[in-house]
Amino acid sequence: MSESVVSRIPSGKKLILFDGVCTLCDSAVRYVITHDKKDEFRFASLQSDFGQQILKHIGIDNRQIDSIVLYEPHVAYYYKSAAALQIAKNLGGIFTLAGIFRLIPTGLANLVYDYVAKNRYKWYGKKEVCGIDDANLRYKIIA
């Protein structure tokens, strides 16, 4: 079952799992899609069956992750601040400057990340369902 789940990710693409009901996450995904000039990323919400299957496949307890995971099939996965930095690195251009944040110890970066994640619904809002339903973007979403 696990390999069949991974086979749904197009060859050579990286998968970003995101909180599909978070308004901040929705905006971040749209931003990445707009700036993904090399078409490297595909997306799935953490709440989707596919997202849950991927978490299980890579061995992440879905009760411990509620914001972002970057999965490079057969290579690695990243979460929290490491995922955000890796995504920025893959976008290239000016986004590679985000690499300077790698100088911040991961524990400290994750504290800041966790603080924002904990408050994201209060600050930015929450939707009932995933908001990425734009017909022009659907090919990037794996449901």
Side-chain angles (χ1 to χ4, degrees):
M1 174 172 132
S2 289
E3 271 314 303
S4 66
V5 169
V6 174
S7 70
R8 292 183 55 200
I9 303 169
S11 179
K13 304 300 181 192
K14 299 169 180 89
L15 178 68
I16 297 175
L17 297 171
F18 66 99
D19 181 350
V21 297
C22 169
T23 303
L24 174 63
C25 302
D26 178 53
S27 296
V29 166
R30 289 175 186 277
Y31 187 86
V32 171
I33 289 172
T34 301
H35 292 87
D36 182 19
K37 303 301 182 198
K38 297 178 193 171
D39 190 32
E40 292 188 56
F41 298 108
R42 293 298 179 263
F43 305 84
S45 76
L46 288 165
Q47 293 85 357
S48 70
D49 288 339
F50 178 72
Q52 291 296 304
Q53 291 171 2
I54 289 293
L55 288 177
K56 184 177 179 181
H57 172 75
I58 59 180
I60 294 179
D61 182 348
N62 66 345
R63 294 170 293 189
Q64 295 177 343
I65 292 293
D66 68 350
S67 49
I68 190 168
V69 175
L70 172 63
Y71 175 53
E72 296 182 42
H74 310 294
V75 178
Y77 68 88
Y78 309 88
Y79 58 94
K80 295 188 179 189
S81 64
L85 290 172
Q86 196 68 23
I87 292 166
K89 176 183 167 188
N90 281 281
L91 288 175
I94 194 148
F95 300 103
T96 56
L97 294 177
I100 196 158
F101 291 108
R102 292 185 192 275
L103 299 174
I104 299 171
T106 302
L108 180 58
N110 280 341
L111 279 174
V112 173
Y113 185 92
D114 288 341
Y115 180 73
V116 172
K118 178 181 175 185
N119 291 291
R120 69 187 184 271
Y121 296 145
K122 180 171 44 172
W123 296 339
Y124 299 98
K126 182 177 179 180
K127 303 173 292 184
E128 292 297 315
V129 295
C130 181
I132 307 289
D133 58 2
D134 184 326
N136 296 325
L137 304 178
R138 280 199 192 117
Y139 77 98
K140 292 218 177 225
I141 306 296
I142 302 173

